[in-house]
């Protein structure tokens, strides 16, 4: 059984990279719903339905464990799928997200107890980070900042351009104006690690930039260790398969920006 990784687009590839680095012997299937992306501005109901369709398809493809490598899907659909759908579909299958692992670690990464979150409008509007951080770290103040153009800049291959630096600097400035005490900024969209060069220029010294991939990967390793029954069900062949709801050629072109390699991709309908 492969481990499934789902995203509305390409950002989940940054999560996949870290998962493969930490678990190189595992088999993975990546599914991008690129034809219906972006999810960020869509309603909760639409994101939930689209995500549920993708999760069911990955289950049908032999993935008993699915990672939502997408902050919007994790914010708007994960809990409903876990609580309402899995008991009906198959209570032995699991769906995990990218928000919880980041939330669990953030308490160790901030001294001021003031944290910023840069993300899509949908993730910021959902207040998922505020709610989840409040459960584990009620003393931490969270400030969310929507960055609507950042993902598009990455997908256009302009992450290292002057334009990218301008828009990154603008949003970071807005965030820190609202809370100057922030000493850690969570990249709450899986596209944003590709903007790291611009972020390092825009974020003042002393403020930590928290990229999700390494923490999601570490969390999955820990999860498999704590759940040997699921660990045994996940196959070890080191294989990787990619599927997209868009045209494969378009996916290959954009995936090269994230993975820096050529891949084979198949089209799939949801």
């Amino acid at each position: 059984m492969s481990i499934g990784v789902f995203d509305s687009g390409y950002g989940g590839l940054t999560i996949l990279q870290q998962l493969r680095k930490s678990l190189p012997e595992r088999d993975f299937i990546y599914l991008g719903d690129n034809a219906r992306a972006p999810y960020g501005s869509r309603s909760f109901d639409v994101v939930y339905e689209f995500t549920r369709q993708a999760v069911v398809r990955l289950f049908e493809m032999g993935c008993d464990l699915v990672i939502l490598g997408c902050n919007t899907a994790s914010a708007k659909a994960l809990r409903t799928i876990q609580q309402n759908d899995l008991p009906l579909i198959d209570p032995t299958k699991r769906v995990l997200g990218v928000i919880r692992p980041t939330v669990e670690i953030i308490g160790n990464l901030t001294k001021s107890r003031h944290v910023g979150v840069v993300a899509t409008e949908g993730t910021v509007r959902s207040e998922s980070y505020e709610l989840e951080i409040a459960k584990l770290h009620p003393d931490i103040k969270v400030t969310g900042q929507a960055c609507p153009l950042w993902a598009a800049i990455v997908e256009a291959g302009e992450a290292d351009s002057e334009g990218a630096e301008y828009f990154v600097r603008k949003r970071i400035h807005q965030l820190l104006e609202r809370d100057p005490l922030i000493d850690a900024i969570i990249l709450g969209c899986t596209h944003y690690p590709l903007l790291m060069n611009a972020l390092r220029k825009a974020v003042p010294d002393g403020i930590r930039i928290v990229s999700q991939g390494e923490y999601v990967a570490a969390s999955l390793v820990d999860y498999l260790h704590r759940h040997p029954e699921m660990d045994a069900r996940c196959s070890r062949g080191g294989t990787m398969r990619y599927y997209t709801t868009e045209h494969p050629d378009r996916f290959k072109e954009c995936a090269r920006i994230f993975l820096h390699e050529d891949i084979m991709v198949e089209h799939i309908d949801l």
Side-chain angles (χ1 to χ4, degrees):
M1 298 293 177
S2 299
I3 298 172
V5 179
F6 168 70
D7 186 19
S8 59
Y10 304 98
L13 293 170
T14 62
I15 300 296
L16 177 66
Q17 273 188 315
Q18 293 296 327
L19 294 178
R20 294 187 70 191
K21 194 176 294 184
S22 297
L23 297 163
E25 76 284 3
R26 303 292 176 151
D27 297 316
F28 289 94
I29 294 177
Y30 184 89
L31 171 56
D33 188 14
N34 308 85
R36 300 188 293 194
Y39 281 13
S41 58
R42 294 185 182 273
S43 70
F44 273 77
D45 288 343
V46 169
V47 172
Y48 158 68
E49 181 56 30
F50 286 179
T51 304
R52 186 192 64 80
Q53 292 171 4
V55 167
V56 169
R57 179 55 61 90
L58 284 166
F59 285 165
E60 293 170 350
M61 296 166 73
C63 300
D64 283 359
L65 174 62
V66 174
I67 311 298
L68 301 185
C70 172
N71 280 271
T72 302
S74 296
K76 294 185 175 183
L78 177 61
R79 182 161 298 177
T80 304
I81 290 173
Q82 288 175 330
Q83 295 179 350
N84 297 352
D85 294 304
L86 285 184
L88 299 175
I89 297 171
D90 186 339
T92 70
K93 296 184 186 296
R94 292 290 180 269
V95 182
L96 307 175
V98 293
I99 292 177
R100 184 74 179 190
T102 315
V103 167
E104 288 174 347
I105 199 68
I106 196 63
N108 299 331
L109 304 179
T110 172
K111 293 181 179 178
S112 71
R113 315 310 278 176
H114 288 249
V115 170
V117 178
V118 288
T120 65
E121 292 181 71
T123 298
V124 171
R125 201 179 305 120
S126 74
E127 296 187 343
S128 293
Y129 277 96
E130 288 90 333
L131 294 170
E132 292 298 322
I133 288 175
K135 292 176 187 175
L136 295 183
H137 314 288
D139 62 319
I140 293 180
K141 178 185 176 182
V142 181
T143 303
Q145 175 65 52
C147 306
L149 291 177
W150 287 16
I153 289 170
V154 170
E155 291 190 10
E158 297 293 331
D160 292 315
S161 67
E162 290 183 9
E165 290 184 15
Y166 168 79
F167 285 109
V168 168
R169 187 168 58 249
K170 178 180 179 180
R171 298 303 181 189
I172 294 297
H173 177 72
Q174 289 175 342
L175 174 66
L176 297 179
E177 264 198 332
R178 293 166 60 203
D179 186 355
L181 297 179
I182 287 171
D183 70 348
I185 298 175
I186 296 172
L187 304 186
C189 173
T190 49
H191 281 70
Y192 296 175
L194 274 74
L195 292 165
M196 193 60 74
N197 289 336
L199 282 160
R200 288 191 178 118
K201 292 179 181 179
V203 174
D205 292 342
I207 298 179
R208 186 160 188 162
I209 302 171
V210 182
S211 184
Q212 295 174 298
E214 61 182 291
Y215 303 111
V216 173
S219 179
L220 180 57
V221 171
D222 179 64
Y223 178 86
L224 293 173
H225 178 72
R226 289 184 292 106
H227 297 84
E229 75 289 347
M230 181 60 74
D231 183 51
R233 288 158 68 181
C234 296
S235 55
R236 294 166 168 81
T239 65
M240 185 66 239
R241 287 183 285 162
Y242 298 90
Y243 295 88
T244 177
T245 56
E246 198 184 50
H247 194 284
D249 289 345
R250 166 64 177 159
F251 187 92
K252 285 181 190 177
E253 182 182 334
C254 280
R256 194 178 297 117
I257 296 172
F258 289 82
L259 301 175
H260 307 293
E261 63 176 303
D262 293 321
I263 59 173
M264 296 295 295
V265 190
E266 296 181 47
H267 177 266
I268 193 170
D269 291 314
L270 295 179

